[in-house]
Amino acid sequence: MFKRLVGGGLAAGEFLTALSRKQAQWELEMSRVILGRRWKLLLVALFPVLLGLGMEMAAAAGLPEHLGGHKAYMPSFATTEMFVGSIFIGIMAGLITGVIGAGGGYVLTPALMSIGVKGIMAVGTDQFHLFAKAIMGTVIHRKMGNVNFWIAAWFVLGSVTGASVGGVLNRAIYQKSPALSDAFISAVYVFMLGILGFYALSDWLRMRKGITGGTRTSGADATTRFARWLQSLPLKPRVKFDEHIVPGGRSIAVYPIIICGFIVGFVAAIMGVGGGFLTFPMMVYGLGVSTFTTVGTDILQIIFTTGYSSITQYAIYGYVFYTVAMGMLLGSLVGVQMGALVTRMVKGVTIRAFYALTILAGFVNRACALPGKLNEVGWISMNKATAALINSVGTVIFFALVGIFSVWILAVFFRGAGKIREAERQALTAGGAGLGH
């Protein structure tokens, strides 16, 4: 029984790690597009200023200090400390994403909750920052030819429905009890980060012992047995796809596509993520869609899912802190690029060790926050001072470990950035000399 549980935990951890790596690839690509366009970067920097002026004008007009629905937490303005802090949180997550190639986005919501942001607002803010990144960094104009319109349409129908259910659930729990809402979101992250951290730690131990492990990969366009079974179901209406890969193309009923979209939208709305990390394996290995078609559809669904969920399920109720979202976006754009360069300077085993530590730090952080929230709800009986102490211990552990990791990455980056530029310059010089001959 124990071996079965351990094996199941490893399999789930491997799956989640593969998903977070897919999300990291998207983050890196989007940041490169945005940083490559100065006007987009300027807009990111100016957005909080323009929003702040708008809020001040609204306040002067006599609007209430807090916008949104019942018990909403939408401040009328942001302090300098809030904005600077959000940039550092974004840098921290970006560094982790860039160095490890996975997992950085998972620390954003726990980090915001650790500095006092309500869970539901942390989720809405995190999701809005992903929506802004998707809109500003989209490369869909280069990949529109890859999109199967009907797969995208049915998938988005499911994701919008799932996001609606997830958003309604999150808001209903919050309206019942803000403490229960924080406990619910914390519990979801405890579950996810616990599995991820356990797998990352075991992966590091295997790597130290020289045992090959890690995420398994296979031919992404090789249709799985499950996908072939789904495609064989005689249900209508159906969608045809991949005519350019398979003679006559493939087809599948719309219902599995809608179900996959629903799951992606629901998870995105509950956790504040983009959902792109789930789309790829579901479509490729679950539905049997080629990677060529999946990439374009994935970009489309991230834009529609995060846009719909963050605006209609959170923003209009006052659960998005726009200035903090833009600060996180600005920080993550820089952090992910610096982190990606650091991967060329350090050993893989060192990176995996730090990755395991940061994910487990997030797990400990949310696990330590749970007793206090459950005590507020009345589900457990605990002295408030003890609960506050446990929560403080979790917060200190989280920011200490993640902070040490971030400082280490920055030190390695600034120490080795000159060497990398020199190596690239010499390579270009050598290449030019070769062409001259």
Side-chain angles (χ1 to χ4, degrees):
M1 175 65 73
F2 177 73
K3 288 184 177 179
R4 189 181 303 169
L5 288 172
V6 171
L10 286 173
E14 186 176 5
F15 179 66
L16 288 174
T17 301
L19 301 187
S20 61
R21 283 176 180 160
K22 180 62 184 175
Q23 179 72 13
Q25 291 172 10
W26 178 83
E27 293 263 1
L28 185 58
E29 184 177 15
M30 292 301 101
S31 65
R32 283 173 178 165
V33 173
I34 295 174
L35 290 174
R37 300 287 187 274
R38 291 183 179 177
W39 70 269
K40 290 185 176 183
L41 194 59
L42 181 63
L43 184 60
V44 172
L46 288 179
F47 187 85
V49 177
L50 297 175
L51 185 70
L53 290 174
M55 288 295 185
E56 289 296 334
M57 292 173 65
L63 293 180
E65 292 183 1
H66 292 79
L67 308 178
H70 177 57
K71 297 182 180 177
Y73 275 72
M74 173 61 187
S76 60
F77 66 96
T79 64
T80 304
E81 291 78 7
M82 289 178 185
F83 184 57
V84 173
S86 67
I87 293 177
F88 278 112
I89 289 175
I91 291 175
M92 176 184 69
L95 289 171
I96 295 173
T97 299
V99 170
I100 299 160
Y106 284 115
V107 304
L108 285 173
T109 296
L112 289 176
M113 293 178 71
S114 295
I115 61 175
V117 178
K118 288 292 181 183
I120 191 169
M121 192 168 186
V123 167
T125 302
D126 193 359
Q127 198 166 62
F128 184 82
H129 124 268
L130 288 171
F131 172 54
K133 185 178 292 183
I135 286 292
M136 299 190 69
T138 183
V139 289
I140 199 166
H141 60 280
R142 295 189 301 184
K143 297 176 179 174
M144 275 298 288
N146 306 352
V147 178
N148 182 296
F149 174 78
W150 287 110
I151 288 181
W154 290 111
F155 191 94
V156 169
L157 174 65
S159 69
V160 165
T161 306
S164 299
V165 175
V168 168
L169 177 62
N170 252 359
R171 295 197 312 275
I173 295 174
Y174 181 74
Q175 297 294 331
K176 180 177 177 62
S177 167
L180 181 60
S181 173
D182 281 5
F184 170 67
I185 295 169
S186 295
V188 171
Y189 271 93
V190 165
F191 175 75
M192 297 287 286
L193 296 182
I195 294 176
L196 265 174
F198 172 77
Y199 174 75
L201 188 60
S202 65
D203 192 35
W204 172 65
L205 291 173
R206 284 199 306 270
M207 195 172 183
R208 280 194 65 193
K209 294 176 182 177
I211 303 173
T212 57
T215 305
R216 292 187 296 269
T217 57
S218 58
D221 293 328
T223 306
T224 62
R225 183 182 301 176
F226 179 73
R228 288 195 297 272
W229 174 77
L230 278 181
Q231 292 171 14
S232 69
L233 294 177
L235 302 174
K236 294 182 180 181
R238 301 182 70 81
V239 174
K240 288 195 68 175
F241 57 94
D242 288 346
E243 291 91 343
H244 56 288
I245 294 178
V246 179
R250 300 176 177 131
S251 71
I252 191 171
V254 301
Y255 309 107
I257 300 174
I258 295 173
I259 291 171
C260 287
F262 181 90
I263 294 171
V264 168
F266 182 78
V267 172
I270 291 292
M271 295 186 66
V273 294
F277 70 102
L278 279 173
T279 305
F280 188 84
M282 278 188 170
M283 294 193 71
V284 173
Y285 302 111
L287 302 179
V289 181
S290 69
T291 55
F292 187 73
T293 302
T294 297
V295 168
T297 307
D298 190 19
I299 295 171
L300 263 183
Q301 83 79 19
I302 287 177
I303 294 174
F304 280 99
T305 303
T306 57
Y308 171 81
S309 180
S310 64
I311 294 173
T312 68
Q313 301 302 311
Y314 293 102
I316 64 174
Y317 295 96
Y319 300 130
V320 172
F321 200 162
Y322 301 100
T323 307
V324 169
M326 291 300 105
M328 290 195 304
L329 174 57
L330 198 59
S332 66
L333 291 177
V334 177
V336 73
Q337 295 297 323
M338 296 171 72
L341 287 175
V342 169
T343 58
R344 299 159 61 179
M345 310 175 201
V346 294
K347 296 179 180 179
V349 66
T350 305
I351 291 174
R352 295 195 186 206
F354 272 113
Y355 174 50
L357 281 177
T358 53
I359 294 297
L360 289 173
F363 166 77
V364 170
N365 173 265
R366 290 298 89 205
C368 288
L370 267 177
K373 300 301 179 184
L374 294 176
N375 186 53
E376 289 182 39
V377 178
W379 286 14
I380 63 173
S381 180
M382 178 182 289
N383 183 275
K384 287 187 178 181
T386 304
L389 177 62
I390 295 173
N391 184 47
S392 298
V393 169
T395 301
V396 169
I397 290 175
F398 175 73
F399 281 107
L401 289 178
V402 175
I404 290 171
F405 184 34
S406 300
V407 169
W408 173 75
I409 296 172
L410 290 172
V412 172
F413 172 79
F414 287 114
R415 196 165 55 240
K419 296 179 181 178
I420 288 181
R421 284 196 295 268
E422 180 63 23
E424 290 176 345
R425 187 186 65 79
Q426 291 178 359
L428 288 172
T429 303
L435 289 173
H437 291 291

